[in-house]
Amino acid sequence: MLGLLTSIMRVFEIPMAFLQRILGIKHLAWVFLAPNLILFFLFAFLPVFLNVVYALTGGDQILLRDRAFVGADNFAVLASCDNYLDPNTCQKDLFWRAVHNTGWFIVLQIGFMIGFSLLTALVLNRDIRARGFFRSVFFFPVLLSPVVVALIWKWILQRHGLMNAGLDAMGLEPVLWMLEREWTFFWSVFLSIWAHMGFYTLILLAGLQAIPRDVYEAALMDAATPFRTFSRITLPLLMPTMLVVMVLALIKGVQTFDEVYAFSGGGPGSATTLLIQYVYETGFAGAPRLFGLASAASIMLALVLVVLTGLQLWATRKNADG
Amino acid sequence: MKPTISKMKGALALGALAVSFGAVSTGASAQEVRFMCSSDGNECDTYREIFDKFEAANDDITVLIEDVPYKAILENLPIQLAAGTGPDIAKVTDLGGLSQYYLDLSPYVDGAYWDANFGATQPWYRKSADDAGIYGMHSQLTVTGPFVNLTLFEQAGVEVPGNDADWDTWAAAANQVAKATGVTYPMAMDRSGHRIAGPAISYGAQLFDDNGDAMLVDDAFTAYVEKFVSWHNDGTMARDVWGGSGGSSYQDAKAEFISGDLVYYFSGSWQIQKMSESIGDDFDWKVVGSPCGTGGCTGMPGGAGVVGFEQTEHPEAVAKVLDFLAQQDNYNYLTAKTLNIPAHAGVASAPVDYIDASPAASQALNAFAAQVAGISPIAIKYQGYKHNRAMFNITLQRVSQAIVGELTVEEAMERAKSDLAEAMAATE
């Protein structure tokens, strides 16, 4: 075996020695990085570059040679609005409805999800009975496919679904959960939290378990109340983990598409149309297929995401620096 | 012993090499044609049966069926074709929208036969009015129209309106029946821009201006949309269908009708097979004529066609497959087995002996077939219009927003006009 390995190494020895002589020892690292860099270029940088190119062109053709250069027109069309708070005054009202929906979705989803995850992690961190079972129960929805999550909740919430059967059994009037805009939006946020909460709970639980026990023992000896212990010890020491959770939840929240699309199709009307669905429908499902507009919308979304992530990272560093 | 083993190894290696070459040469001589197919019922299985016959007669051509969801035909196929990676043949419904990719069969097939039998539907596949090519076999002619639950009418003691009844009469009758029988939905219409077009034309919508350019919104179209929205607001129409979804997603009310929870369902002839299979003896149902308005009593024609694509490496084989499908015996079998209305003039000239069709299904097929002659010329033009899918999607989006109260009908129609102008500009 060793002999075989030595033989293989010898096969590479000659070309590597040759490359080292030509490039020098410092630049030889690029040779080793090349395979990864090529893959990265092909599957990450090139698509981003192409996306930018498409955003600067117009028409409904997919091949670049058939598309006209329109400069920043696609961005201008998307940004054309009298009042950004009222989508009806915007040229692309559906884009701005999607922006509003996504904004509210992120605020509510991240806020409630972190709150519930923290609460769950705190409970699961205590010495309760069947702790392992409950940890699995809360993590289980994370393992489900987004489409399965959407269908489960659709069956529960539809007109003749489980929820209305329950209300009916209690003698109450059924509620059209999936036909009222506000209710559908609420349930979209809810199912998203339900599906992802377990993942963030797990991270926060790891963060909680990393807090040294002796700090709590000292607080106990000082007769600190549970609330004071939580606000002065747990929360500050958990903050770096919380920031990681926030960044992850933000990125995941902005990218939300599949579960909400399968749940409500973006409706009723456009009540649950999120930005990624707008990009998908504009570029692929609609007619004509406006690849340029879809690319421009995705770039605007990416820029917002970069800014928000940057702000959070800055906050993390500031926090770490004390 | 060693030399013997060595010789054996050599012989085996040579044998393997020979087999490989053989396989390669066999593979090179057989032409594989990929057919992207989607089913409402048993279409793809029936195609397979016909292709088995075809392959028996043409051992150098193999037809490989890719059975995909309808959504893939609508959304993935156009992208594949644009990128040059599409199949050789597909069953399509966006007949005009994909015309730029079709293979002209005229060099390979008997043009006179195709003109005589598919002359009426060929314009839907052509790139322009002066194009005379042969591009596709219209495999199923569909007509939109209503299904009625007769048992509910009987239970309610309400008389079924006649063939010349207008939409208001049907709405009143369906409401009466729903109230008397306690079912959830009086009426429902598929969430589709194509489905709402027939009723709008019946109300006098022109859809095209005097120059023949797409217009979509006029006073009559707006009047029908206003009525349609008001029916959703007062509970006449099932809000779950148009008001329960968003974007350009399609939604039907087949399940509600099959479960006996819907009195009047406006859909189309392609549902017959499923209705017949699923309802069985549970209740009586039938197809009635399209309701009338001030502009007539029309449904929308439509359907699917089987086309070859220009980018195929085997144009002759593709044409051969399509020509085989288009032969009267094969087309007749396809129509009879899949319970569809024929678009082949020869097959349509005599009653089709539908295979395994229930009495209700036979009545429904005849009722839809009887409506073909009365289809409005505007509906026929709309079906063949190259950019009709853009118009369908705009209708879908904006009418849905009016139904759920995001926009007023007036705002929705203004948006529809500007959407159409932008869509037309993008396609130029």
Side-chain angles (χ1 to χ4, degrees):
Chain A
M1 190 66 184
L2 193 66
L4 182 71
L5 280 173
T6 314
S7 309
I8 292 170
M9 294 302 288
R10 279 208 183 119
V11 171
F12 288 104
E13 202 177 291
I14 300 163
M16 291 318 283
F18 175 71
L19 282 171
Q20 188 176 335
R21 206 163 45 244
I22 291 179
L23 299 171
I25 189 81
K26 275 187 181 171
H27 295 111
L28 195 63
W30 289 105
V31 175
F32 294 109
L33 286 173
N36 247 339
L37 284 178
I38 290 167
L39 287 177
F40 229 77
F41 174 78
L42 283 177
F43 297 108
F45 294 129
L46 189 61
V48 171
F49 172 73
L50 282 174
N51 200 26
V52 175
V53 174
Y54 270 94
L56 301 175
T57 60
D60 63 342
Q61 300 295 309
I62 196 168
L63 298 177
L64 278 173
R65 62 164 185 261
D66 301 327
R67 298 179 61 80
F69 180 76
V70 295
D73 280 6
N74 287 320
F75 294 96
V77 166
L78 288 175
S80 164
C81 209
D82 289 339
N83 175 6
Y84 289 109
L85 296 176
D86 179 8
N88 278 345
T89 64
C90 304
Q91 188 178 343
K92 286 289 169 190
D93 63 322
L94 292 173
F95 172 72
W96 285 101
R97 282 181 194 280
V99 169
H100 282 224
N101 291 341
T102 308
W104 279 112
F105 185 87
I106 291 168
V107 168
L108 295 171
Q109 195 228 28
I110 294 179
F112 282 108
M113 187 154 64
I114 290 179
F116 287 133
S117 300
L118 181 61
L119 201 67
T120 315
L122 286 169
V123 173
L124 293 177
N125 196 37
R126 296 174 74 90
D127 195 15
I128 55 169
R129 283 177 72 181
R131 191 164 66 165
F133 169 75
F134 284 115
R135 282 180 184 178
S136 310
V137 164
F138 280 102
F139 192 72
F140 179 68
V142 178
L143 304 174
L144 295 176
S145 137
V147 177
V148 173
V149 169
L151 290 179
I152 289 172
W153 284 99
K154 212 170 171 172
W155 287 330
I156 293 172
L157 297 167
Q158 63 194 4
R159 190 190 284 256
H160 298 301
L162 209 62
M163 188 80 102
N164 277 338
L167 290 177
D168 189 44
M170 289 188 284
L172 298 170
E173 279 292 304
V175 180
L176 301 178
W177 305 109
M178 298 197 59
L179 299 182
E180 302 296 339
R181 295 165 59 207
E182 292 77 13
W183 274 123
T184 313
F185 189 79
F186 166 80
W187 286 111
S188 301
V189 175
F190 178 89
L191 77 89
S192 179
I193 293 173
W194 181 83
H196 303 291
M197 202 183 94
F199 176 67
Y200 300 107
T201 302
L202 208 68
I203 298 177
L204 289 173
L205 193 59
L208 284 172
Q209 288 175 350
I211 299 174
R213 303 298 310 165
D214 50 355
V215 187
Y216 288 108
E217 284 161 11
L220 198 67
M221 286 174 73
D222 290 342
T225 61
F227 177 74
R228 206 169 168 78
T229 309
F230 174 73
S231 60
R232 294 298 172 94
I233 297 173
T234 308
L235 214 51
L237 290 176
L238 197 62
M239 205 40 92
T241 316
M242 291 275 275
L243 282 164
V244 170
V245 165
M246 278 172 78
V247 173
L248 290 176
L250 175 75
I251 294 169
K252 186 86 185 158
V254 174
Q255 288 175 338
T256 303
F257 167 62
D258 34 18
E259 60 222 16
V260 175
Y261 185 66
F263 175 67
S264 64
S270 60
T272 56
T273 301
L274 302 180
L275 263 171
I276 301 290
Q277 183 182 339
Y278 177 82
V279 170
Y280 165 69
E281 296 230 327
T282 306
F284 299 101
R289 292 177 173 79
L290 304 174
F291 301 113
L293 207 62
S295 298
S298 70
I299 288 170
M300 286 168 86
L301 175 68
L303 288 177
V304 172
L305 205 59
V306 166
V307 170
L308 288 175
T309 311
L311 278 173
Q312 286 197 334
L313 287 174
W314 173 77
T316 315
R317 285 205 187 109
K318 205 178 163 198
N319 186 276
D321 294 345
Chain B
M1 283 299 280
K2 269 186 182 172
T4 318
I5 288 171
S6 222
K7 273 179 192 168
M8 277 173 69
K9 275 185 180 170
L12 277 172
L14 274 174
L17 207 62
V19 170
S20 316
F21 273 117
V24 169
S25 65
T26 311
S29 65
Q31 296 179 55
E32 195 175 81
V33 173
R34 284 195 304 134
F35 175 30
M36 189 187 262
C37 179
S38 79
S39 272
D40 293 314
N42 60 355
E43 281 90 344
C44 300
D45 294 336
T46 310
Y47 280 118
R48 184 68 266 163
E49 286 179 45
I50 299 171
F51 291 146
D52 286 344
K53 265 171 61 186
F54 173 82
E55 285 170 2
N58 300 272
D59 58 3
D60 57 334
I61 302 172
T62 308
V63 186
L64 189 73
I65 294 185
E66 292 170 357
D67 197 344
V68 298
Y70 179 53
K71 206 173 167 65
I73 301 272
L74 282 183
E75 293 174 12
N76 300 2
L77 179 65
I79 308 283
Q80 288 182 12
L81 292 170
T85 57
D88 302 288
I89 302 174
K91 180 184 161 212
V92 297
T93 53
D94 186 8
L95 310 179
L98 299 174
S99 60
Q100 59 178 311
Y101 305 111
Y102 296 161
L103 171 72
D104 186 2
L105 306 175
S106 40
Y108 311 103
V109 299
D110 176 2
Y113 173 82
W114 278 73
D115 280 343
N117 291 299
F118 296 102
T121 51
Q122 278 310 306
W124 292 350
Y125 294 82
R126 288 176 177 146
K127 294 176 178 72
S128 60
D130 53 355
D131 185 354
I134 297 170
Y135 296 99
M137 182 199 85
H138 204 66
S139 57
Q140 60 190 85
L141 186 65
T142 59
V143 187
T144 61
F147 294 81
V148 174
N149 185 324
L150 290 177
T151 303
L152 290 176
F153 268 90
E154 204 179 304
Q155 284 172 356
V158 175
E159 201 178 327
V160 179
N163 268 344
D164 54 350
D166 60 15
W167 273 96
D168 287 324
T169 310
W170 274 109
N175 266 317
Q176 251 183 297
V177 173
K179 205 172 171 184
T181 55
V183 298
T184 313
Y185 312 104
M187 295 176 112
M189 182 189 287
D190 291 340
R191 187 174 190 271
S192 151
H194 177 266
R195 228 64 82 238
I196 198 176
I201 296 168
S202 296
Y203 264 71
Q206 296 299 305
L207 304 177
F208 298 93
D209 64 17
D210 294 341
N211 300 322
D213 295 326
M215 169 176 76
L216 188 61
V217 178
D218 57 11
D219 290 346
F221 188 86
T222 308
Y224 183 74
V225 171
E226 260 165 11
K227 202 166 265 290
F228 191 63
V229 171
S230 72
W231 283 330
H232 279 87
N233 291 336
D234 68 14
T236 301
M237 279 275 172
R239 205 179 167 84
D240 310 45
V241 187
W242 278 73
S245 202
S248 55
S249 49
Y250 171 77
Q251 179 69 46
D252 64 27
K254 189 166 54 194
E256 286 77 5
F257 189 78
I258 289 169
S259 65
D261 208 17
L262 169 61
V263 180
Y264 179 98
Y265 174 34
F266 195 88
S267 186
S269 56
W270 59 94
Q271 303 276 26
I272 293 172
Q273 195 186 31
K274 193 76 187 168
M275 296 285 190
S276 174
E277 264 175 29
S278 306
I279 296 171
D281 298 328
D282 292 351
F283 58 83
D284 293 332
W285 58 277
K286 79 168 188 174
V287 165
V288 294
S290 277
C292 303
T294 50
C297 324
T298 188
M300 270 291 285
V306 182
V307 295
F309 297 111
E310 216 167 20
Q311 55 193 240
T312 179
E313 286 173 16
H314 315 293
E316 220 166 315
V318 166
K320 216 170 177 177
V321 172
L322 289 177
D323 199 40
F324 188 81
L325 276 179
Q327 295 311 303
Q328 190 153 341
D329 286 354
N330 297 326
Y331 193 98
N332 189 52
Y333 181 71
L334 180 71
T335 305
K337 190 80 191 284
T338 57
L339 305 189
N340 275 305
I341 301 168
H344 183 294
V347 175
S349 64
V352 177
D353 191 7
Y354 288 104
I355 300 168
D356 299 331
S358 66
S362 297
Q363 179 280 331
L365 284 159
N366 289 327
F368 275 122
Q371 290 180 38
V372 173
I375 291 172
S376 153
I378 300 171
I380 293 170
K381 181 175 179 182
Y382 195 24
Q383 176 56 27
Y385 182 57
K386 200 173 172 180
H387 302 301
N388 62 11
R389 197 152 292 278
M391 295 167 79
F392 294 157
N393 283 353
I394 290 167
T395 310
L396 201 56
Q397 179 70 53
R398 298 308 181 182
V399 174
S400 294
Q401 285 183 282
I403 288 169
V404 303
E406 271 178 14
L407 300 174
T408 63
V409 170
E410 201 182 328
E411 285 169 343
M413 294 300 98
E414 282 308 313
R415 283 285 178 186
K417 282 183 201 169
S418 59
D419 288 350
L420 182 66
E422 283 176 23
M424 292 299 113
T427 55
E428 274 164 13

